[in-house]
Amino acid sequence: MSFSSTSPWATGKACRSGPFPRRSFEIGAVVVAFIYWWPLAAAYIAWKVAGYPALSELRGMVGRGADWQAGMRKSRFAQAFEAADLRGTGNLAFDDYRRSELDRLDAQRKALQEESKAFAEFVEELKRAKDREQFDAFMAKRGNTGPTQSV
């Protein structure tokens, strides 16, 4: 049975992931690359996830360094949240309420951080006292039952 060059099986349109022979070769090559030299396979998968960028685009991404996420598009929700945070909602009463609540929450956060720091210092002092007590007990026991030295 032969397929004509216009059939969907010959063009790969019948298969969602592309023509079968090319896709199976690609998967097999990635598996073999992971077995023999995993950095090559990891680089290929990263290149594939990035959308097959050209070499010049890759250089641009690497050149931007930590700023590569800045070029990525933000979701509409994130854009709306940032816009509302910067310019307010337009309702002055709500903006005042939100500002006062955020200030109150910030004060609570600072108070909790101070309490946490004080508690950590307290626990550290308890550990130090317990260690000192155990050391003193050891020294007292050692001093009473230690070997006698004759000179």
Side-chain angles (χ1 to χ4, degrees), residues 54-113:
L55 188 58
S56 61
E57 293 173 350
L58 283 175
R59 284 189 194 131
M61 281 188 224
V62 171
R64 286 191 298 265
D67 197 31
W68 69 276
Q69 285 184 337
M72 297 181 81
R73 183 172 143 79
K74 294 181 181 174
S75 68
R76 286 184 287 161
F77 176 77
Q79 290 172 349
F81 183 77
E82 288 177 358
D85 192 36
L86 293 176
R87 70 174 194 271
T89 61
N91 186 332
L92 296 177
F94 178 74
D95 288 341
D96 290 340
Y97 167 76
R98 183 175 70 171
R99 192 174 310 111
S100 67
E101 286 296 307
L102 289 174
D103 291 342
R104 183 183 63 80
L105 289 173
D106 191 42
Q108 279 184 341
R109 182 185 55 81
K110 287 179 183 177
L112 283 173
Q113 284 178 339

Side-chain angles (χ1 to χ4, degrees), residues 25-150:
F25 175 73
E26 179 182 21
I27 293 170
V30 169
V31 169
V32 169
F34 266 114
I35 291 171
Y36 288 105
W37 202 51
W38 68 267
L40 179 66
Y44 175 74
I45 289 176
W47 178 65
K48 184 176 178 109
V49 167
Y52 300 102
L55 188 58
S56 61
E57 293 173 350
L58 283 175
R59 284 189 194 131
M61 281 188 224
V62 171
R64 286 191 298 265
D67 197 31
W68 69 276
Q69 285 184 337
M72 297 181 81
R73 183 172 143 79
K74 294 181 181 174
S75 68
R76 286 184 287 161
F77 176 77
Q79 290 172 349
F81 183 77
E82 288 177 358
D85 192 36
L86 293 176
R87 70 174 194 271
T89 61
N91 186 332
L92 296 177
F94 178 74
D95 288 341
D96 290 340
Y97 167 76
R98 183 175 70 171
R99 192 174 310 111
S100 67
E101 286 296 307
L102 289 174
D103 291 342
R104 183 183 63 80
L105 289 173
D106 191 42
Q108 279 184 341
R109 182 185 55 81
K110 287 179 183 177
L112 283 173
Q113 284 178 339
E114 290 173 7
E115 288 179 19
S116 176
K117 184 178 177 183
F119 182 72
E121 290 172 358
F122 172 74
V123 168
E124 191 64 33
E125 185 60 34
L126 282 178
K127 288 179 184 177
R128 213 175 281 122
K130 183 179 178 184
D131 288 346
R132 173 55 62 185
E133 182 182 313
Q134 288 176 348
F135 178 73
D136 289 343
F138 169 76
M139 291 304 286
K141 182 180 173 186
R142 184 171 179 241
N144 292 338
T145 61
T148 60
Q149 293 183 359
S150 60

